[in-house]
Amino acid sequence: MRRILATLLLVGLASLGCATYQGGRLYTSGTEALDRGDNARAIADLERAAELVPDRSEVQNHLGLAYAADGRHQEALLAFRRAVALDCGNVAARRNLNAAEARASDP
């Protein structure tokens, strides 16, 4: 499912410009790395994508997932918060934010 979303985002971003297209490519490769369990590659690609397309909630959400998978829970929480702030209708980001906040509040 994440791969389908990544492909759709890439197609949509392709029409917006070079940096946006590169951000979409990095989002796709970062998502694929996340699916493979390659957290280091996922984080590197998604952080760069977030620099190039800072207004994309999907990028921030997947970056949060990559941080969480790597045990970087505070950074994941911040990325999920950015994702929801960018698009409060992003159901996946809201769900991930709720889970991250619950994890953060556990002693």
Side-chain angles (χ1 to χ4, degrees), residues 52-71:
L52 294 170
V53 286
D55 59 339
R56 300 306 304 193
S57 177
E58 301 88 347
V59 173
Q60 291 297 325
N61 185 52
H62 283 198
L63 180 56
L65 292 171
Y67 284 144
D70 202 46

Side-chain angles (χ1 to χ4, degrees), residues 14-59:
S15 64
L16 298 177
C18 188
T20 305
Y21 177 74
Q22 181 64 14
R25 285 188 40 178
L26 287 163
Y27 170 75
T28 299
S29 63
T31 297
E32 290 170 352
L34 182 60
D35 288 341
R36 288 191 313 271
D38 185 353
N39 299 336
R41 170 55 55 197
I43 290 168
D45 287 356
L46 291 166
E47 283 179 340
R48 183 68 178 125
E51 292 172 8
L52 294 170
V53 286
D55 59 339
R56 300 306 304 193
S57 177
E58 301 88 347
V59 173

Side-chain angles (χ1 to χ4, degrees), residues 87-100:
D87 179 5
C88 62
N90 184 332
V91 176
R94 186 169 294 285
R95 183 183 64 239
N96 292 331
L97 174 59
N98 290 339

